[in-house]
Amino acid sequence: MNNLIDIFISFSLSQLLLCTVLLLRRPQAHSISEKLFVALLLADAAYLIIPWVSAEWAKAILYPAQTMVPGLFWLFSYSLFDDHFRLRPWQAIPFLITVLLPTLGSALGAEKSGLEGWFWFNIPQLSEFVLLTWALRIILLHWRDDLLENRRNLRIWFSAFIGFYIFALIAAQQLLFPSAEWLDIWQYAPAGLMLFLCNCVLLEFKPDIFLQPTRPVSEDHQQEVRPEGNEEPIAAVKEQEEIPDEVLETISDLMENEKIYREMGLTIGQLAEKVDIQEYRLRRIINAGLGHRNFNDFLNRYRVREACERLSDPAEQETAVLNIALDAGFRSLSSFNKAFKDSQNLTPTAFRKSQLEKSQ
């Protein structure tokens, strides 16, 4: 049996090493998604190495490292599906709960039963499931916003597969079969398979799955150039992609005149129905013809522009920022603040103050 474990672990570690090499082989700067995925691989390495370690001091390092997997996958999912993702101080809280609490509990010799056990061990376990569920929710909610069809489809399968594997493994270890001997052996076989499939994805698709926009789309992108440093005129792109002028005019009319972007929760499928074309074609048109890689960014361009106009208007200086955000189509003040700051590099309040001072 020990030989079988060694075979599974050796294969998994070889795939993990190959996966790391494939990610780091590119000479250019790596995205935050790539860095978080490498951190996730290192936490997986700790999980794989533990059966080979006998020294207590080494286990004291490896056990906390492996418990970082749910939190790292949560951050990885956020970064993969949010083109404006940034690491924030508050995101350390889940790690304090899922990693620090059980580590301190073990060091202090805390009982694993009763209230003491709930505080040091059970709450961190439940928090792991919360993080994994949260991550899967992010994937399901936001994968449709990506306007690059191949990357969007790859991301959903790539991230969802990893997430469900981690979820199933933790559930088996901690809830379903906590004392099963067979799990001690066979838990390592799926890890190798998962890493092998990840390598197949990276070899076939290259690391484009992790790429994010290199710069924001300009306000006048329809008249200027495509994003990401490609100076090809929009007219040439339209010809290459066979984008009808009437479709662009319909989209422009819906946005500029009917202001359909004000509808909360507007999806690209709903917009496709109004434009009367297939959803996949609308994705290509917004990406190639209008210069956007994310549907929410496309909508938020109009929403933020309207908010800027109202925040700059002295006649509306008594209107609450929340009301302006909701009128423009944002679901909440927090989502409005984030989108506004990503676009203007100022908070709405600071922007209003600066604009009103200029008008005086």
Side-chain angles (χ1 to χ4, degrees):
M1 288 297 184
N2 288 336
N3 290 336
L4 197 56
I5 293 177
D6 290 341
I7 291 172
F8 289 155
I9 292 177
S10 298
F11 176 73
S12 299
L13 287 173
S14 68
Q15 294 301 309
L16 189 148
L17 179 60
L18 175 59
C19 193
T20 305
V21 170
L22 291 174
L23 285 173
L24 299 180
R25 63 181 172 171
R26 296 189 299 112
Q28 59 264 45
H30 298 283
S31 68
I32 185 67
S33 296
E34 288 176 294
K35 294 174 182 177
L36 286 171
F37 190 65
V38 170
L40 182 60
L41 292 178
L42 292 175
D44 289 336
Y47 155 72
L48 293 169
I49 294 172
I50 284 177
W52 287 351
V53 172
S54 57
E56 292 300 321
W57 65 268
K59 289 183 178 180
I61 296 174
L62 294 175
Y63 275 120
Q66 78 163 4
T67 58
M68 296 178 70
V69 168
L72 288 171
F73 178 71
W74 167 65
L75 289 179
F76 169 69
S77 299
Y78 248 132
S79 69
L80 200 60
F81 291 91
D82 182 355
D83 289 332
H84 304 286
F85 174 82
R86 298 289 184 275
L87 288 173
R88 311 291 184 186
W90 68 267
Q91 292 165 343
I93 296 175
F95 291 92
L96 296 178
I97 297 174
T98 60
V99 179
L100 189 59
L101 280 184
T103 302
L104 287 176
S106 299
L108 296 173
E111 295 289 337
K112 293 190 176 181
S113 58
L115 291 176
E116 190 176 18
W118 266 97
F119 178 76
W120 293 109
F121 303 106
N122 292 36
I123 289 178
Q125 286 181 0
L126 290 173
S127 299
E128 290 179 350
F129 288 108
V130 170
L131 285 177
L132 290 171
T133 304
W134 191 348
L136 293 173
R137 182 178 180 272
I138 291 170
I139 294 168
L140 294 174
L141 285 179
H142 297 291
W143 75 279
R144 292 174 64 90
D145 293 333
D146 195 329
L147 297 175
L148 301 179
E149 187 172 357
N150 289 336
R151 187 181 72 170
R152 183 184 70 255
N153 292 333
L154 180 62
R155 281 181 170 183
I156 181 65
W157 291 111
F158 184 81
S159 53
F161 176 73
I162 295 173
F164 280 117
Y165 164 73
I166 296 172
F167 192 98
L169 178 62
I170 294 177
Q173 287 178 327
Q174 299 181 3
L175 298 178
L176 302 177
F177 314 105
S179 303
E181 294 183 3
W182 62 267
L183 187 60
D184 292 337
I185 300 172
W186 292 99
Q187 64 177 305
Y188 300 105
L193 176 61
M194 181 197 73
L195 290 165
F196 173 75
L197 293 176
C198 286
N199 289 332
C200 291
V201 167
L202 294 176
L203 283 168
E204 176 67 21
F205 195 79
K206 303 183 177 63
D208 295 353
I209 183 176
F210 298 109
L211 294 183
Q212 295 176 331
T214 55
R215 66 181 178 88
V217 179
S218 68
E219 183 70 18
D220 300 320
H221 61 274
Q222 296 184 50
Q223 288 75 33
E224 294 181 355
V225 297
R226 298 184 71 185
E228 304 170 39
N230 188 342
E231 302 302 313
E232 182 181 5
I234 288 297
V237 180
K238 284 170 55 181
E239 181 179 351
Q240 178 182 349
E241 299 291 333
E242 297 183 355
I243 300 174
D245 287 334
E246 58 268 21
V247 173
L248 291 177
E249 291 173 2
T250 300
I251 295 173
S252 178
D253 181 65
L254 287 170
M255 293 294 164
E256 300 287 353
N257 300 324
E258 297 188 27
K259 302 187 184 301
I260 193 176
Y261 59 83
R262 290 175 175 174
E263 294 183 13
M264 289 187 188
L266 178 67
T267 66
I268 192 166
Q270 292 170 339
L271 182 58
E273 289 181 6
K274 294 180 182 296
V275 180
D276 195 24
I277 62 172
Q278 299 94 331
E279 184 177 324
Y280 78 91
R281 288 194 62 209
L282 182 60
R283 290 182 185 279
R284 294 176 183 175
I285 289 170
I286 296 176
N287 173 234
L290 301 178
H292 287 276
R293 297 177 63 168
N294 184 281
F295 183 65
N296 268 339
D297 286 348
F298 168 67
L299 294 179
N300 286 345
R301 170 182 176 265
Y302 293 95
R303 291 167 175 168
V304 170
R305 187 180 66 181
E306 177 178 320
C308 286
E309 293 172 356
R310 295 185 63 182
L311 291 170
S312 304
D313 186 355
E316 297 223 44
Q317 59 181 318
E318 299 300 325
T319 305
V321 172
L322 175 60
N323 291 341
I324 293 176
L326 296 178
D327 290 345
F330 288 97
R331 291 178 178 271
S332 65
L333 184 59
S334 60
S335 62
F336 171 60
N337 286 337
K338 183 177 183 300
F340 194 95
K341 193 168 183 180
D342 286 337
S343 173
Q344 303 297 320
N345 294 319
L346 285 173
T347 64
T349 302
F351 177 86
R352 167 182 266 177
K353 181 179 179 181
S354 66
Q355 294 300 307
L356 293 179
E357 287 177 351
K358 290 178 183 179
S359 65
Q360 291 178 353

